[in-house]
Amino acid sequence: MSKTKLVVIGNGMAGVKCVEEIIALGPDTYEIVIYGNEPRPNYNRIMLSKVLQGEHSLQDILINDWTWYDDHGIRLRTGETVNRINTHAKYVETESGLRETYDILILATGSSPFIPPIPGIDKERVMSFRTIDDCTRMSEYSKEYHKAAVIGGGLLGLEAARGLLHLGMEAVVVHNAPYIMNRQLDLKAASMLQQELEAQGMTFLLAKNTQKIIGRSQAQGLLFTDGSKLEAQVVVVAVGIRPNVDLARRSGIATNRAIVVDDYMRTSEPDIYAVGECAEHRGISYGLVAPLYEQGKVLARTLCGQETTEYKGSVPYSQLKVSGVDVFSAGEINGEGLQTAIQMLDGIRGTYKKVLMQAGKVRGAILFGDTAEGTALLGLVQRGADVAELAPREGSPDPAEIAAAALPEQDTVCACNNVTKAAIMKAIREQGLETADQVREQTKASGSCGGCRPMVAALVKHTHQLKNNGDVKALGKPDRVTEMPVCSCTTLGHAELKGRLDHILALREDGVDAEEPQQYSSVFTRQMNLTLIMQKLGWGSEHGCAVCRPSIHYYMQVSTSTMNERVTITDVHSAAEREGMRQQSVEAGIEHKHEIQVRWDEGIPLSSYTLEVGGLRAILLSSWTGAHMPSPVNVGIAPRPGSWVSALVQDIGLVASPVGWEIYAGGHAEHPVKEGRLLGVAETELQAAMLASACLQWYRQTAWYEEPLWAWTERLGFMSIREVLLDDQLQTELATKRNDELGLVNHSGKAGMGR
């Protein structure tokens, strides 16, 4: 029986990594053919700078040699460029005329150096730095010429400059930003790195914009926009990359900046997938190794018919050695609303650490000189952890070992070679490894860029420490992560408090609470039993405080186990009784004041609006006026162009469009100003109200007390929220729950995702 034929266009790191995963999961599933335009097997591009610097040869950076392809029955077509895909007849064709049919096609065409439109860019001795052949050209130029300029002060430019120095050339880095590696580092870390590189012989011209490359037919130097010049016989351009999408675009496959893929790496054409730098997922194309490998794993499991979680995107990070200096960067480094949680500078050791936060959550981190904590910090950034988790543990003075101990077992330590903490500790324990070099030989961890070597060394120390202490069971197991307490009255965080309240209220409504079997008959009765609730929760203060009492009260109001059975105070008490009870609530410190405000163009007569606009406003007001919310919520309706209501900076924004309504969430008009993101589109006002109501209800049920809606979208992840709300059944259940409370008639109709 013939196998399904899998053709891969691209012999780079992302495509071949996906093939490796496929072979591991189903070695006999596919007949595999790989096309690569270079005349050599798969190699590690990250290591090109090491080749240029004389530390490695081509053989050293090969990921898979010729025998690997033969051993796994893979046909490798090197030196072949595919220039056509027939998506209907399902075949590809190369420039040389080769034709190959396929059942499944993976596009892993990678990217090419971005060449800016600078006059003179096509002169001789102007080159990029992307392949082994580029390393060879630089080496040849160095034998005859001595002055080089590198345009670009990012990682690639710095590595190219370091290689040119090794070849004996003068290397001047020209960068248009005020400091180097400005996308990964802050000014302080960049200045420290620049000092190190200057000590190695590198020269920098910062905040310089190149106007043209001078010389007749060959490069002789650079002319800058300020009129100054720089002599240079060799010019290396390293200002970024551009995804290779021409082949896909010519073949009718949907592209944007890169090839558009879904959460399973599927393109717009059946049986065609894309992975790596050429793929664009949820508007982002990644140029780092770790995200590309994550994509490859998801695609491999998909193609092998195995259950897999969808690819949801990656937190960008870099953990590298820049010319021998350890540097780590993750998450958001520069952005509105970011604040510094930790900043530490050790001038003696030459180390620097900075952790950035937003709304009490870890958002980004920078390490310089000592990157042992990098992997642990990356985990905090990925989870959006509370800043309380940054506090060091007592009795553990070594930060590297603290980071090694705190790192979850299944977290990846070496992104280049996909080696986890568990795999490293297992190798150390079972093979008696004593050094980071031995770990590298056995597992490949730190064998590529070397950025993770400090963590590998720390894991060696940590594993042996656990073994010496006889704590074999703890080897590789992460410490329990704790939440920041709600207040000083308790050790419970918001998540645990909410969960315990759900359990307590469920027992009471089932009539199985031995201490208090009487059923609650009103919200007011529940409020007056806060003291008993706090006793059951083990509260440190008998009556709580102004922080925790409103929190408990709110979570009781929106408990998912009791929502449908609640009645409001107005159902059972007169106006006079309600006012008396309201005053008691105020005195007890539990009155909840967070409600929803619906904004629209109030200055224009209602008759000026269409029936649909008036109906949308009426539905939202009737459903949500007086609703208890975690934090004040602003809903903005923009029914026409030029509306004074800026819906995109409201918590929920509804904007009229030619197709009906666009619904946005997560905006914020005050500092930090944030623009809402599109939840979906709706054809009618009923459908728009459904989606907006579903979002508000999901926010009520899953937000922490006093957590603004924009912060809630960041904590849960906007895409995960959208996936919940665009599920037809869940949307209906959420949207009608508030109406069930009020006894209103349910509205039908659902909103969909904009395409």
Side-chain angles (χ1 to χ4, degrees):
M1 183 176 180
S2 61
K3 296 180 182 179
T4 302
K5 184 188 282 190
L6 170 65
V7 174
V8 182
I9 302 177
N11 190 37
M13 296 175 70
V16 176
K17 181 64 177 180
C18 182
V19 170
E20 289 178 353
E21 296 285 342
I22 290 171
I23 292 172
L25 293 170
D28 299 319
T29 305
Y30 291 102
E31 173 192 351
I32 301 174
V33 184
I34 300 177
Y35 282 82
N37 56 10
E38 291 190 58
R40 54 184 62 89
N42 174 239
Y43 64 89
N44 189 341
R45 292 188 190 278
I46 297 173
M47 303 292 285
L48 283 176
S49 59
K50 307 297 183 185
V51 175
L52 193 58
Q53 294 167 27
E55 297 180 22
H56 294 301
S57 65
L58 170 61
Q59 191 62 35
D60 294 328
I61 70 170
L62 287 180
I63 298 175
N64 299 296
D65 59 16
W66 298 102
T67 59
W68 178 83
Y69 295 87
D70 292 337
D71 291 344
H72 292 93
I74 299 170
R75 280 194 290 131
L76 174 60
R77 300 279 195 177
T78 59
E80 292 285 354
T81 300
V82 176
N83 64 355
R84 183 187 175 204
I85 303 170
N86 189 316
T87 59
H88 301 291
K90 300 184 76 169
Y91 68 81
V92 301
E93 193 170 76
T94 69
E95 289 181 350
S96 66
L98 288 177
R99 180 176 290 189
E100 190 85 52
T101 60
Y102 67 85
D103 298 307
I104 301 292
L105 180 65
I106 297 177
L107 301 178
T109 50
S111 62
S112 300
F114 172 67
I115 306 299
I118 301 172
I121 199 77
D122 55 348
K123 287 180 168 46
E124 289 184 31
R125 299 200 301 272
V126 179
M127 59 177 296
S128 56
F129 179 41
R130 182 69 176 168
T131 67
I132 282 288
D133 293 334
D134 294 330
C135 292
T136 303
R137 287 177 66 193
M138 287 187 193
S139 181
E140 291 298 319
Y141 285 147
S142 70
K143 296 174 183 177
E144 186 176 353
Y145 306 103
H146 304 290
K147 293 181 182 293
V150 178
I151 302 177
L155 174 64
L156 193 62
L158 298 181
E159 293 285 20
R162 185 65 187 84
L164 292 167
L165 287 176
H166 175 79
L167 295 172
M169 301 186 74
E170 295 178 20
V172 180
V173 176
V174 178
H175 195 41
N176 60 2
Y179 58 89
I180 59 176
M181 287 190 70
N182 52 294
R183 292 186 178 180
Q184 293 86 17
L185 304 179
D186 65 356
L187 177 58
K188 183 60 185 177
S191 298
M192 295 175 72
L193 177 59
Q194 183 175 333
Q195 290 175 7
E196 290 280 350
L197 298 178
E198 286 173 340
Q200 297 177 18
M202 212 174 292
T203 305
F204 294 89
L205 290 177
L206 302 177
K208 285 280 190 180
N209 290 288
T210 304
Q211 181 173 320
K212 65 181 295 188
I213 298 173
I214 55 180
R216 282 179 174 265
S217 60
Q218 300 177 329
Q220 296 295 334
L222 305 178
L223 172 65
F224 302 113
T225 53
D226 61 6
S228 59
K229 296 181 180 180
L230 172 68
E231 182 184 354
Q233 300 151 320
V234 176
V235 177
V236 179
V237 181
V239 295
I241 58 174
R242 174 174 286 171
N244 293 326
V245 299
D246 288 345
L247 172 63
R249 188 172 290 142
R250 288 196 306 268
S251 304
I253 299 169
T255 63
N256 191 16
R257 181 176 183 271
I259 303 169
V260 178
V261 297
D262 65 9
D263 292 349
Y264 296 93
M265 313 315 294
R266 295 174 293 210
T267 70
S268 61
E269 293 296 320
D271 299 323
I272 300 180
Y273 301 79
V275 68
E277 292 174 332
C278 68
E280 179 178 319
H281 174 263
R282 299 184 183 182
I284 301 174
S285 55
Y286 298 92
L288 300 170
V289 173
L292 312 188
Y293 282 4
E294 291 170 16
Q295 293 175 359
K297 280 187 173 183
V298 171
L299 178 52
R301 296 189 69 84
T302 299
L303 294 181
C304 289
Q306 298 199 10
E307 185 176 347
T308 180
T309 57
E310 64 271 25
Y311 177 67
K312 297 180 179 180
S314 304
V315 173
Y317 75 95
S318 303
Q319 185 160 334
L320 306 159
K321 274 188 181 291
V322 182
S323 298
V325 182
D326 289 313
V327 176
F328 169 84
S329 171
E332 299 178 44
I333 302 304
N334 301 296
E336 236 179 281
L338 289 176
Q339 298 174 302
T340 301
I342 294 176
Q343 189 165 8
M344 300 168 60
L345 173 65
D346 187 334
I348 303 298
R349 296 176 60 224
T351 61
Y352 175 71
K353 174 181 177 180
K354 184 177 183 179
V355 181
L356 297 117
M357 66 178 182
Q358 189 175 55
K361 306 294 183 182
V362 180
R363 295 299 180 202
I366 297 170
L367 297 173
F368 179 89
D370 182 357
T371 60
E373 295 180 76
T375 309
L377 285 173
L378 174 61
L380 298 181
V381 173
Q382 289 173 329
R383 290 191 289 109
D386 288 330
V387 292
E389 295 186 39
L390 294 168
R393 293 178 295 171
E394 296 181 4
S396 301
D398 183 357
E401 193 172 348
I402 293 173
L407 186 67
E409 185 177 359
Q410 295 306 318
D411 272 20
T412 299
V413 173
C414 179
C416 297
N417 297 295
N418 193 32
V419 188
T420 64
K421 171 183 174 178
I424 291 172
M425 294 186 73
K426 180 180 180 182
I428 295 169
R429 187 171 64 251
E430 295 182 355
Q431 301 179 44
L433 307 181
E434 300 286 343
T435 66
D437 288 337
Q438 291 175 340
V439 173
R440 182 194 64 215
E441 293 171 3
Q442 295 297 321
T443 68
K444 293 187 178 180
S446 77
S448 293
C449 73
C452 62
R453 184 179 175 85
M455 175 54 80
V456 173
L459 283 172
V460 172
K461 182 178 179 181
H462 175 60
T463 306
H464 285 291
Q465 185 69 33
L466 289 175
K467 186 176 181 180
N468 293 337
N469 292 339
D471 193 4
V472 178
K473 291 183 179 180
L475 288 175
K477 292 189 176 180
D479 292 338
R480 180 176 178 269
V481 176
T482 58
E483 287 187 274
M484 179 180 284
V486 171
C487 67
S488 59
C489 302
T490 180
T491 59
L492 300 181
H494 283 277
E496 196 166 2
L497 169 60
K498 192 168 182 291
R500 292 196 185 185
L501 279 171
D502 282 349
H503 179 67
I504 290 171
L505 294 176
L507 290 178
R508 292 183 172 214
E509 296 204 355
D510 290 339
V512 298
D513 192 324
E515 295 184 34
E516 175 111 26
Q518 183 180 0
Q519 298 294 297
Y520 287 117
S521 60
S522 71
V523 173
F524 178 72
T525 306
R526 292 196 183 104
Q527 292 173 343
M528 295 302 101
N529 279 274
L530 281 177
T531 301
L532 177 60
I533 292 292
M534 286 188 285
Q535 289 176 2
K536 289 180 173 293
L537 292 169
W539 234 241
S541 172
E542 181 180 359
H543 300 294
C545 67
V547 175
C548 61
R549 288 179 71 85
S551 299
I552 296 172
H553 174 238
Y554 174 73
Y555 292 140
M556 290 171 67
Q557 291 289 329
V558 297
S559 169
T560 54
S561 64
T562 58
M563 179 70 76
N564 291 332
E565 289 77 19
R566 279 199 191 88
V567 292
T568 62
I569 297 172
T570 54
D571 291 334
V572 293
H573 297 286
S574 67
E577 288 173 325
R578 290 200 304 274
E579 177 57 28
M581 290 184 291
R582 189 196 69 79
Q583 187 60 39
Q584 285 181 291
S585 296
V586 171
E587 293 171 359
I590 59 175
E591 186 182 52
H592 192 91
K593 298 181 179 179
H594 300 331
E595 295 186 354
I596 292 176
Q597 180 178 358
V598 179
R599 299 179 176 180
W600 68 325
D601 288 354
E602 296 174 356
I604 300 176
L606 185 61
S607 59
S608 300
Y609 290 100
T610 63
L611 178 62
E612 288 77 14
V613 176
L616 174 57
R617 174 179 177 270
I619 292 170
L620 292 174
L621 287 174
S622 65
S623 297
W624 291 99
T625 297
H628 297 285
M629 303 301 293
S631 183
V633 173
N634 290 317
V635 177
I637 303 176
R640 60 185 178 83
S643 172
W644 71 266
V645 176
S646 182
L648 293 184
V649 291
Q650 308 296 323
D651 296 294
I652 301 289
L654 299 103
V655 181
S657 71
V659 297
W661 291 92
E662 296 175 352
I663 298 89
Y664 295 83
H668 191 237
E670 300 173 5
H671 182 75
V673 177
K674 288 187 172 294
E675 186 173 289
R677 298 175 65 184
L678 182 66
L679 270 181
V681 295
E683 294 182 3
T684 69
E685 81 281 4
L686 285 178
Q687 293 172 348
M690 281 281 288
L691 182 52
S693 293
C695 183
L696 291 169
Q697 186 62 37
W698 190 232
Y699 171 53
R700 292 179 81 199
Q701 293 181 196
T702 58
W704 307 148
Y705 182 69
E706 299 281 16
E707 182 178 33
L709 194 144
W710 66 266
W712 168 74
T713 62
E714 291 190 353
R715 178 171 61 83
L716 264 64
F718 189 85
M719 297 309 298
S720 67
I721 292 171
R722 187 161 68 168
E723 287 170 6
V724 169
L725 299 180
L726 295 181
D727 181 288
D728 288 350
Q729 183 177 351
L730 289 175
Q731 183 185 131
T732 301
E733 291 176 1
L734 289 167
T736 57
K737 185 158 285 190
R738 172 62 179 166
N739 290 342
D740 291 343
E741 290 182 73
L742 299 174
L744 299 178
V745 177
N746 294 342
H747 299 290
S748 62
K750 306 171 189 66
M753 178 178 174
R755 293 290 181 185

